[in-house]
Amino acid sequence: MKDKALIVISETNINLKIFEKTHLIIGIERGCLDLIKKDINIDIAMSDFDQVTQEELEIIKSKAKKFIAFNPEKDYLDGIAAIHYLHDKNIKDITMIVNPSKRYDMNLTIIDYVFNYNVKIFNEKSVIFKLNSGENVIDFNKYQDFTYISLFSLKDNEITIKGMKYEVKNIELKAFNSLAYSNKFLPYVDPKISIKDEVMLIMTK
């Protein structure tokens, strides 16, 4: 079995074909329909499927190699339940395609995904992942299409930023504070972000 997984929750214009050879492809809810539309093999379709019609559900069943229907009265959201399933299979390198929702509570789940499960999240406008304590170097060439770079911490933290528009040295970043929001790359410079404790990095176009 592959040791990496791609969880697709949202419909996007992202080319997902590049993941087929390297990742186990997991479809959640309407993410399954996006994979089907893109003609990408679904290794596992899993969800409570309360956001699809009966006709769409039958299509998903016919296209997925494996189909797992969750009880709607489960303890976890679909995405978290999928991560638990993958962890049970010893797959911990997980990337998730998900768009922001009109529901703020659902948007806040990215904090759980990133900090507790080390999931990398992206969509057409953003990429979000965890930086561990110590010095982190960000590859400008890989992320130069993104405009804004923000850091979010769950703990009182200390940060040093070099090689970005706004540089700081050993400043205090309070938990849940927006002090480190909306920084920017310098052209062709790989910035260095040093942190006392882990943070969530959010890049937005």
Side-chain angles (χ1 to χ4, degrees):
M1 181 179 282
K2 296 170 183 173
D3 61 357
K4 299 178 182 179
L6 176 72
I7 299 176
V8 181
I9 295 179
S10 301
E11 298 178 64
T12 67
N13 291 322
I14 296 172
N15 177 13
L16 302 179
K17 275 289 184 182
I18 58 174
F19 291 94
E20 272 194 307
K21 291 184 179 179
T22 56
H23 288 64
L24 193 72
I25 306 296
I26 311 294
I28 303 288
E29 286 285 2
R30 303 197 68 79
C32 295
L33 299 176
D34 191 48
L35 289 166
I36 293 168
K37 182 172 66 176
K38 289 181 168 69
D39 194 28
I40 295 173
N41 292 322
I42 303 174
D43 292 306
I44 309 173
M46 58 173 72
S47 175
D48 55 21
F49 295 102
D50 61 354
Q51 300 297 317
V52 299
T53 66
Q54 187 60 41
E55 182 180 359
E56 289 169 335
L57 181 60
E58 294 306 317
I59 294 172
I60 292 168
K61 287 181 177 179
S62 70
K63 295 291 185 179
K65 295 179 183 177
K66 186 172 184 178
F67 180 85
I68 300 174
F70 298 145
N71 185 330
E73 297 181 2
K74 57 191 181 301
D75 292 331
Y76 301 101
L77 297 171
D78 287 345
I80 299 296
I83 291 169
H84 286 180
Y85 176 90
L86 292 170
H87 281 191
D88 287 344
K89 302 296 183 183
N90 206 31
I91 299 173
K92 297 183 179 179
D93 186 337
I94 301 171
T95 301
M96 181 180 289
I97 308 292
V98 59
N99 287 326
S101 165
K102 64 182 180 181
R103 289 181 56 181
Y104 283 110
D105 54 345
M106 292 297 110
N107 292 333
L108 287 173
T109 60
I110 66 171
I111 296 172
D112 196 3
Y113 292 142
V114 173
F115 281 109
N116 290 330
Y117 301 101
N118 201 25
V119 172
K120 182 175 182 179
I121 295 173
F122 73 98
N123 53 53
E124 292 166 56
K125 298 294 184 181
S126 302
V127 60
I128 304 168
F129 54 90
K130 184 169 70 174
L131 296 182
N132 293 317
S133 60
E135 183 179 87
N136 298 268
V137 180
I138 310 301
D139 187 346
F140 171 83
N141 288 326
K142 188 174 182 180
Y143 298 108
Q144 61 180 297
D145 291 338
F146 293 90
T147 302
Y148 303 105
I149 303 165
S150 299
L151 304 177
F152 175 79
S153 182
L154 292 179
K155 303 176 181 178
D156 289 349
N157 215 328
E158 184 177 277
I159 63 172
T160 295
I161 300 174
K162 298 179 181 179
M164 298 183 74
K165 182 175 180 179
Y166 304 109
E167 295 190 325
V168 295
K169 184 176 180 179
N170 298 330
I171 68 161
E172 184 180 23
L173 176 62
K174 288 286 189 180
F176 308 106
N177 193 279
S178 60
L179 177 67
Y181 282 15
S182 206
N183 211 330
K184 294 183 179 182
F185 281 119
L186 296 175
Y188 310 108
V189 175
D190 293 344
K192 295 179 181 179
I193 302 173
S194 298
I195 46 180
K196 184 180 72 174
D197 285 301
E198 62 188 17
V199 301
M200 182 165 69
L201 182 144
I202 305 167
M203 298 185 190
T204 310
K205 291 184 178 179

